[in-house]
Amino acid sequence: MASRIKNYLFLLISLIGITSARAQFGVTAGTCLLKGFGTPKPFVGLQIGAEIPRDDFLSLFGRVSFYGKQSQGLINTTYVEAIDMNTTVPSIQNISYDNSMNYTVIEGGNRFYVGDGYDSGFGAYGGGTVQAIFNTVKRNYNYESIDQSKYQLPVTESPKGSIFSIALGISGGVKNTFAGIGTAYFDLGFSYMIMNSVSNSTASSAGNMYSPLLFTFCLGFRKDFY
């Protein structure tokens, strides 16, 4: 996961480096909530990004959002087997586990501004987005009653899986620019996954944590450079 995050940050830094060749670009950062339709509770995360104004009423943006893991809250059961089947009794024991999942979202799109526009004062904006979504699903095992020096998971058991999805969406929000300081913004987003790829049975057991319909709520700050 750490190497994946480094790759995402590298992509974002590269985007910012490209935009620096332009006359103006903005760097954004903030906090977000992500809620899947029908899921029990939202994921909480942080986002960083860049925004490039084409003029005062149109911009292009990209951002990466990281949402911390959330537990499913269900007790599931599998088994562990003895490392040495000839001397360990019993040779198989049941073990419980709970699933957890997180989100990483890479997003890009355009924004159309109304009101005072991109550069000054109060305004509103809206536009379309394309998202690449990565989920990591883990099984968190309860080893309290198991001697881990004598037992191991069977080779067919996958402690971790992943889901990759592509989504299309729309977003809109409001912003206020403070002269010489920067821009505070709040936006809402809705997206629908048009395709996904599941790596294994562990990933497919995400159950009520996963939904193809996502809602996001982001509060952040943008600093522009000229």
Side-chain angles (χ1 to χ4, degrees), residues 21 33 59 72 91 93 98 150 179 197-198:
L33 294 178
S59 72
Q72 192 173 24
S91 59
Q93 291 201 61
D98 188 12
K150 296 181 179 180
S197 175
V198 179

Side-chain angles (χ1 to χ4, degrees), residues 14 27 38 58 73 132 158 187 214 219:
S14 299
V27 176
L58 172 64
S158 300
D187 58 50
L214 300 178
L219 176 66

Side-chain angles (χ1 to χ4, degrees), residues 84-106:
D84 187 343
M85 290 286 190
N86 296 318
T87 61
T88 304
V89 179
S91 59
I92 292 176
Q93 291 201 61
N94 289 331
I95 185 172
S96 63
Y97 68 89
D98 188 12
N99 289 319
S100 66
M101 188 177 78
N102 61 19
Y103 274 88
T104 300
V105 181
I106 301 176

Side-chain angles (χ1 to χ4, degrees), residues 150-174:
K150 296 181 179 180
Y151 292 90
Q152 63 185 1
L153 292 168
V155 294
T156 56
E157 180 80 8
S158 300
K160 184 167 68 173
S162 61
I163 307 171
F164 170 70
S165 307
I166 297 293
L168 299 178
I170 55 175
S171 67
V174 293

Side-chain angles (χ1 to χ4, degrees), residues 63-75:
R63 63 186 180 187
V64 183
S65 303
F66 305 98
Y67 297 90
K69 72 178 181 179
Q70 185 181 116
S71 295
Q72 192 173 24
L74 298 175
I75 302 303

Side-chain angles (χ1 to χ4, degrees), residues 12 15-16 19 22 24-28 49-54 58-63 109-113 118 125 183 185 222-225:
L12 183 62
L15 175 62
I16 293 173
T19 61
R22 300 182 60 87
Q24 180 183 359
F25 69 98
V27 176
T28 63
E51 188 168 1
I52 312 166
R54 305 299 296 268
L58 172 64
S59 72
L60 303 177
F61 80 95
R63 63 186 180 187
N110 55 14
R111 287 175 174 161
F112 298 93
Y113 284 84
Y118 176 91
Y125 57 86
T183 299
Y185 64 87
R222 187 187 79 225
K223 180 66 176 178
D224 283 282
F225 298 89

Side-chain angles (χ1 to χ4, degrees), residues 1-147:
M1 184 63 185
S3 60
R4 181 182 292 177
I5 292 175
K6 289 179 181 178
N7 290 335
Y8 299 149
L9 293 176
F10 175 76
L11 288 173
L12 183 62
I13 291 171
S14 299
L15 175 62
I16 293 173
I18 292 171
T19 61
S20 65
R22 300 182 60 87
Q24 180 183 359
F25 69 98
V27 176
T28 63
T31 183
C32 294
L33 294 178
L34 181 150
K35 178 71 166 62
F37 181 78
T39 61
K41 54 185 177 179
F43 290 79
V44 180
L46 299 174
Q47 57 94 354
I48 54 175
E51 188 168 1
I52 312 166
R54 305 299 296 268
D55 55 42
D56 203 31
F57 298 100
L58 172 64
S59 72
L60 303 177
F61 80 95
R63 63 186 180 187
V64 183
S65 303
F66 305 98
Y67 297 90
K69 72 178 181 179
Q70 185 181 116
S71 295
Q72 192 173 24
L74 298 175
I75 302 303
N76 304 280
T77 303
T78 186
Y79 68 94
V80 289
E81 55 190 19
I83 296 173
D84 187 343
M85 290 286 190
N86 296 318
T87 61
T88 304
V89 179
S91 59
I92 292 176
Q93 291 201 61
N94 289 331
I95 185 172
S96 63
Y97 68 89
D98 188 12
N99 289 319
S100 66
M101 188 177 78
N102 61 19
Y103 274 88
T104 300
V105 181
I106 301 176
E107 178 181 13
N110 55 14
R111 287 175 174 161
F112 298 93
Y113 284 84
V114 296
D116 289 330
Y118 176 91
D119 250 344
S120 60
F122 180 83
Y125 57 86
T129 65
V130 178
Q131 299 173 341
I133 302 171
F134 302 86
N135 301 99
T136 298
V137 182
K138 291 184 178 180
R139 291 184 173 180
N140 305 301
Y141 299 94
N142 181 6
Y143 285 106
E144 290 183 1
S145 61
I146 303 296
D147 185 346

